[in-house]
Amino acid sequence: MKCTMTWLCLAPFFQNNLYLLQNDVMAKKDKSEKVSKKKNHNDYSIPVDIISSHEQKLDKKSYEKEIDKCHVELVKLQEWIKNKGLKVVVIFEGRDAAGKGGMIKRITQPLNPRVCRVVALGTPTEREKTQWYFQRYVAELPAAGEMVLFDRSWYNRAGVERVMSFCTDEEYHEFMRSCPEFERMLVRSGIIVIKYWFSVSDAEQERRFQDRIAKPTKRWKLSPIDLESRKRWIEYSRAKDEMFKYTDIKQAPWYVVHADDKKRAHLNCIHHLLSLIPYEDLTPEEMVLPPRQEDTGYVRPPMTDQTFVTEIF
């Protein structure tokens, strides 16, 4: 009886301490999770809250089924842009091997190259280096009824040129001042400006670099600049953060695409692109082929008069 009374007296004390202990454990857990999220929420790691959705690769059958649907919608968008005389610029930026080129291929695959044009400018010439920095990009901007995809763009100055010291500090800071105004000017003139940043982890970039080295058909994708960027990962991260700070504007915001899984990145990016431009289905109606012209005595020249490709297969 005495033991029972003692326990009843001490029970509130133990319960209170147990409650405090549980709170302390939960607080430490929450703090640990916040630190983990903060540590991983950057350009070179996938945020904790979406890691689980990327643990399993998207299977090929599901991907091809969905990409076919996306291609149908892209054709509708193309017809809308052409019919309404829209001017669309889509910029693809990101680290080397982030998947920008593959994304552009998936978008252009079903489209008319006369409507959807890809721009991938090389190193500026000596003459171009003396021009206004944006000048050679302005020449590539779309006319009415066109969509231009920039595989890298004027943002070279904020990235590779900054990190590799290809431009002066004065040129860099002038770019940061001018770029937001330049893009606002484009938007005011009626051009739709869409900017994507493809974010890839350091581990995935390393895997893709090794894959390119191992396959002769992919080695052309690696340049000395790419190899140097591998050594300057943190410098590129800081340059990207600074670029976002100045150029992530309301009129032309940056959209980040998680690109470790290429298939998911393709589908997510295309769906997002389609959501940004309201369009209607203007796909040409099904046509009926006319009857073939009747043969009125046409005689084909001898086949020996023509040079044919050797049929090896």
Side-chain angles (χ1 to χ4, degrees):
M1 182 69 178
K2 185 176 181 180
C3 292
T4 303
M5 292 298 295
T6 302
W7 168 249
L8 290 174
C9 292
L10 294 177
F13 170 81
F14 284 117
Q15 289 176 347
N16 185 53
N17 278 274
L18 180 61
Y19 175 76
L20 293 174
L21 178 62
Q22 289 174 335
N23 282 350
D24 183 56
V25 171
M26 292 300 294
K28 289 181 178 179
K29 183 179 179 182
D30 289 342
K31 182 178 180 181
S32 176
E33 289 178 350
K34 288 180 180 178
V35 170
S36 177
K37 288 184 179 181
K38 185 176 181 181
K39 181 179 179 182
N40 285 285
H41 191 66
N42 50 39
D43 177 51
Y44 43 89
S45 297
I46 301 176
V48 172
D49 57 349
I50 67 165
I51 287 178
S52 58
S53 65
H54 286 72
E55 289 177 349
Q56 186 175 358
K57 295 287 185 179
L58 193 64
D59 66 276
K60 185 177 180 181
K61 185 176 180 180
S62 299
Y63 168 73
E64 290 181 346
K65 181 179 179 181
E66 190 62 31
I67 202 70
D68 286 343
K69 295 179 181 177
C70 289
H71 282 168
V72 171
E73 295 305 313
L74 282 170
V75 171
K76 294 178 183 178
L77 176 62
Q78 169 189 261
E79 295 303 315
W80 182 259
I81 290 172
K82 182 181 176 181
N83 184 273
K84 298 299 179 180
L86 301 183
K87 294 175 282 188
V88 182
V89 166
V90 188
I91 292 173
F92 295 88
E93 292 286 348
R95 294 183 183 274
D96 301 309
K100 302 178 294 296
M103 182 71 260
I104 291 172
K105 287 181 181 178
R106 295 292 84 77
I107 292 175
T108 58
Q109 188 176 345
L111 302 183
N112 184 346
R114 294 181 179 85
V115 176
C116 182
R117 179 164 48 89
V118 179
V119 174
L121 299 182
T123 305
T125 64
E126 291 302 317
R127 180 176 181 275
E128 288 174 333
K129 290 178 182 179
T130 66
Q131 295 176 343
W132 176 47
Y133 178 72
F134 296 97
Q135 191 166 333
R136 70 185 189 131
Y137 295 103
V138 169
E140 302 293 342
L141 293 175
E146 291 182 348
M147 178 166 67
V148 175
L149 310 182
F150 278 93
D151 186 352
R152 294 199 181 278
S153 63
W154 45 84
Y155 282 101
N156 279 336
R157 175 137 295 178
V160 63
E161 290 190 22
R162 175 61 170 173
V163 175
M164 302 301 293
S165 299
F166 292 157
C167 66
T168 65
D169 288 345
E170 183 181 354
E171 289 172 331
Y172 168 76
H173 292 302
E174 177 56 36
F175 171 82
M176 289 302 201
R177 286 192 295 267
S178 300
C179 185
E181 293 306 316
F182 173 67
E183 291 179 357
R184 289 189 183 102
M185 181 174 63
L186 295 181
V187 173
R188 286 197 303 269
S189 72
I191 297 176
I192 299 172
V193 179
I194 301 169
K195 303 184 300 193
Y196 288 113
W197 176 270
F198 277 65
S199 180
V200 65
S201 66
D202 50 354
E204 179 60 19
Q205 186 191 49
E206 177 69 13
R207 189 194 68 77
R208 294 178 187 179
F209 275 3
Q210 294 296 340
D211 181 60
R212 291 179 178 185
I213 291 173
K215 297 180 180 178
T217 56
K218 292 186 176 182
R219 285 179 196 158
W220 64 269
K221 294 184 176 183
L222 282 177
S223 68
I225 298 297
D226 298 334
L227 300 180
E228 186 65 25
S229 71
R230 181 176 179 269
K231 294 162 47 178
R232 305 194 184 195
W233 182 274
I234 301 301
E235 290 182 57
Y236 271 96
S237 292
R238 289 178 178 144
K240 174 256 183 180
D241 293 340
E242 195 71 6
M243 179 184 79
F244 270 43
K245 178 181 175 181
Y246 283 91
T247 64
D248 189 14
I249 59 177
K250 180 180 179 181
Q251 296 82 355
W254 279 104
Y255 298 105
V256 179
V257 179
H258 294 286
D260 271 17
D261 186 328
K262 290 183 179 180
K263 292 185 177 67
R264 293 183 190 275
H266 295 166
L267 298 178
N268 290 333
C269 187
I270 293 176
H271 273 281
H272 185 266
L273 175 62
L274 292 168
S275 72
L276 294 180
I277 307 175
Y279 64 94
E280 297 177 12
D281 186 359
L282 298 180
T283 305
E285 295 181 1
E286 185 177 348
M287 300 180 182
V288 178
L289 293 176
R292 193 182 297 273
Q293 184 181 15
E294 295 183 6
D295 185 359
T296 56
Y298 167 75
V299 178
R300 180 177 179 174
M303 295 180 67
T304 54
D305 292 350
Q306 301 172 2
T307 304
F308 287 86
V309 174
T310 304
E311 296 186 4
I312 301 175
F313 303 99

